[in-house]
Amino acid sequence: MVMILLVWLWVVRFIVEMVRVCGAGLSCSLQGRSVSESLYKEGDVIIGGLFPVHVEAPLPDRAFTQIQHGARCQGVNLRSYRWLKTMIFTVEEINQDPALLPNVTLGYLVADSCLAEGTTLSAALALVTGQEETMSGAECSGAPLVPVIIGDARSSASIVVADTLGVFDIPMVSYFASCACLSDSRRFHSFLRTVPSDVFQAKAMARLLRLLDWTWVGVVAGDDEYGKSGVQLLLKELENAGICVDYLEFIPKSYSQSRIRRIVERIQSSTAIVVVTFAIVPDIKVLLKEVVVQNVTNKQWIATEAWSTSILFFDPAIRSLLSGTIGFALRRADIKGLGSFLAQLSPVKQPNEPFVKDVWEEIFGCSLAQDWQPLSKIPKCTGLENVEKYGRIYTDVSQLRVTYNVYKAVYAIANAIHNMMACQPGRGLFEDGECPDVTQIKPQQLLHYLNAVNFTTPVGELVYFENNGEPSASYDIMNWHVDESGAVNFIQVGQFDSVKGPGQELNINLEKVPVSVCSASCLPGTRKAVQKGKPCIKCPERFWSNTDRTRCIPKVVEFLSLQDNMVIVLTVLSVTGATLTMTVLATFFHHRDTPLVRANNSELSFLLLVSLTLCFLCALVFIGRPAPWNCMLRHTLFGVSFVICIACVLSKTVVVLVAFRATLPGSNLMQYFGPIQQRVGIFICTLVQVVICLFWLLLAPPLPTESAGAELGARVILQCTVGSVVGFVLVLGYIGLLAVVCFLLAFFARKLPDNFNEAQFITFSMLIFCAVWIAFVPAYISSPGKYTVAVEVFAILASSYGLLLCIFTPKCYIILLKPEKNTKKNMIAR
């Protein structure tokens, strides 16, 4: 829930930045959103880049302000810095090519994402909103400083950024975010990548295990989107391949030592020899350190592309235990000239360049600090150390895999721009063959051309994107050979290539493999028998094995139940709101002949209070086990109730405006806005919503569905699907349209002369209403499982309370506590 709040705040802030870029007058400012810890080079087209150069982000309470106040990330990742420098190298290589982008110079703005969602989103927003500069009003409506971003490395961070930037059609090209969830082209329509989806990796893993007859395995994954999504796919493929899973463990992001210890104990006690992993390097490193402590040996490790060639991250003690590891690695390539470019790093020649000081100190284990003391435990750097010879993983160009993905991403953007420049009028990708404006690249146009690129890299590989922005999948299967000195050699023993078609994708050659089966084959004259405490059957549907794997237990079923504390709070708020509304209704009815009630159109007030009561009570329909009847009733009751409510408020606002216009000489407008016309208007507004709901229910009604929870397989989440996304959007959009119109009219009428001008209160109520439902959209999309429903219930209650309190509290105050003001004379005193 904290992550959802962070995303909310950044989305709202980003929208405000984009809206206020063009203000009143002849100039506008981008409000000084300078990008901290970044590298910038001017060019005709600026390419943005996100790389986790550091691995420890600032504390959460400082993450939002790091760009403005300079809070620094810690812990250098040399491999990521090599990716960053590769992007710069590729940009310079393209600029030197007279054929690819003639008369166009590429620039770059590259920022540190610090391996965290909050800092990644912060850096991405800073890239697209630009640095401090003032432009003319004519230029303000143009494209952002950065029309495209290369990044991020992590799937979790890419999801957050793609969700945010996708609203504005700003394309992203990731080089390492492989989560299958990012293949959703409807949600992530502006997201592309040069790394294959984990769908293929899970399939390749299952094929490998089946081919080597490893039918009894354990699975360990990271507790993030990469790990969870990957394991979901893997478990499905393992089941299809007839492979049994002895245990499934998740590495916590808190790196709790007790939980890590328990996971390793489970690995050690298991009879499964093969351990399949689906986690990023920091998670695996923490796990393997505990493996060394507990001296877990004789295990066959299976690595994903995230760490299959990342041996330089691990201590020598860990390496010896990983001998024989089989890993899936991305396609390797040799990039001519990159090694010498990386070796140009120098704190003497580049004293003010970001990251250089931290990287140099990390490589050589020394200090460049000016206040270095001779008694310090860390030696002082001279700045002249030989980085080409001792550069460690930074200058190691023998395993350019993710690095090559960065290289391809830059070339994909360059080729898209090349195609934009080569467009001939009448043959463009847009309506009527229109060509893009290449003088100022717009993100939406660049996105179209990125999806259509088809080119060959200088390395010789054909690169293109499928319909959902995916590349073709190709993996090298690597085997780790560790010698007596601890040196690791990566030997390619096979390959997986999705282009070759079903049954032909996997090719592997291993001379000797360990045995990992549930039980060995019976010798002649013997038979298999059930072993006490050992699994021997597959649990039926809706059941899951217990911790000891000795019996099947029902899966935990989750939905908004009255047994949850959160649901109890929502129920109390709903009933309280309905009770308060009915109390106000009774008060108004009792004082219906007083000037205040009559002046505020008592008939509309009564109808508004009745509809508000329904709004409060409709929240209760969202609570409880989903069933066909309540799934269909939820949104229809909610949609119709709110439309009646907003229609009443709209009618009140129109009457206020017309009433004052009617006081002008010669005006006779009120005859068209009498009680009958008001009823007809409310009826028509409601009828439109009823028709939308009927079509929704008839064509694609909301129905109950089941989905896996956070603990994969062990939980089942019951919820209602929306059925038709179009129907859901139309219901919410129609309510929003009425609310915006009502807000605007009330805003115009707020200063009309009257001692009790109701338009002022309506303005505040509509402002709260619109704010709640604007915040609802990103929260609804990003909330998991049953919390999606809870967010909608909260939005219903919050907006209902806003209408009730803003409109009726001032009236009740006068009716009950200041009856001396409830006179006709006081109503028209001004």
Side-chain angles (χ1 to χ4, degrees), residues 239-297:
E239 182 179 1
N240 294 337
I243 298 171
C244 299
V245 177
D246 183 29
Y247 57 85
L248 172 61
E249 299 289 347
F250 288 94
I251 304 171
K253 286 299 177 184
S254 62
Y255 297 151
S256 165
Q257 193 58 38
S258 60
R259 289 187 62 184
I260 299 294
R261 188 182 304 113
R262 185 189 65 78
I263 292 173
V264 175
E265 289 171 353
R266 184 72 182 91
I267 294 173
Q268 188 171 34
S269 63
S270 173
T271 57
I273 301 299
V274 176
V275 183
V276 183
T277 64
F278 230 111
I280 60 176
V281 169
D283 296 348
I284 288 294
K285 188 174 181 180
V286 170
L287 178 74
L288 293 179
K289 283 184 177 180
E290 183 61 27
V291 167
V292 172
V293 172
Q294 297 192 26
N295 194 27
V296 179
T297 57

Side-chain angles (χ1 to χ4, degrees), residues 100-313:
L100 184 55
L101 291 177
N103 303 319
V104 173
T105 301
L106 292 182
Y108 53 78
L109 179 55
V110 187
D112 184 6
S113 62
C114 297
L115 205 68
E117 286 82 352
T119 48
T120 304
L121 183 59
S122 170
L125 296 184
L127 293 182
V128 298
T129 54
Q131 302 192 24
E132 178 70 43
E133 59 178 318
T134 301
M135 307 184 224
S136 67
E139 294 173 333
C140 286
S141 60
L145 174 66
V146 172
V148 60
I149 290 179
I150 293 178
D152 183 55
R154 291 185 63 215
S155 296
S156 301
S158 295
I159 290 171
V160 174
V161 177
D163 264 333
T164 305
L165 300 188
V167 177
F168 305 95
D169 293 329
I170 299 175
M172 290 177 61
V173 185
S174 176
Y175 48 89
F176 207 21
S178 59
C179 177
C181 53
L182 286 162
S183 299
D184 185 351
S185 57
R186 296 182 64 182
R187 178 179 175 186
F188 305 110
H189 66 280
S190 63
F191 178 84
L192 304 93
R193 52 184 166 189
T194 53
V195 61
S197 166
D198 286 333
V199 170
F200 298 101
Q201 187 167 208
K203 188 187 298 291
M205 279 185 163
R207 289 284 306 281
L208 173 69
L209 295 173
R210 182 73 268 182
L211 184 64
L212 299 178
D213 203 26
W214 289 337
T215 57
W216 182 238
V217 302
V219 179
V220 180
D223 191 15
D224 54 17
E225 288 297 332
Y226 174 75
K228 291 178 181 178
S229 175
V231 163
Q232 267 190 323
L233 296 167
L234 179 64
L235 292 179
K236 183 179 179 180
E237 294 293 340
L238 294 180
E239 182 179 1
N240 294 337
I243 298 171
C244 299
V245 177
D246 183 29
Y247 57 85
L248 172 61
E249 299 289 347
F250 288 94
I251 304 171
K253 286 299 177 184
S254 62
Y255 297 151
S256 165
Q257 193 58 38
S258 60
R259 289 187 62 184
I260 299 294
R261 188 182 304 113
R262 185 189 65 78
I263 292 173
V264 175
E265 289 171 353
R266 184 72 182 91
I267 294 173
Q268 188 171 34
S269 63
S270 173
T271 57
I273 301 299
V274 176
V275 183
V276 183
T277 64
F278 230 111
I280 60 176
V281 169
D283 296 348
I284 288 294
K285 188 174 181 180
V286 170
L287 178 74
L288 293 179
K289 283 184 177 180
E290 183 61 27
V291 167
V292 172
V293 172
Q294 297 192 26
N295 194 27
V296 179
T297 57
N298 299 323
K299 295 295 181 182
Q300 174 64 56
W301 296 86
I302 305 295
T304 61
E305 93 292 347
W307 66 280
S308 59
T309 57
S310 304
I311 190 61
L312 292 180
F313 280 95

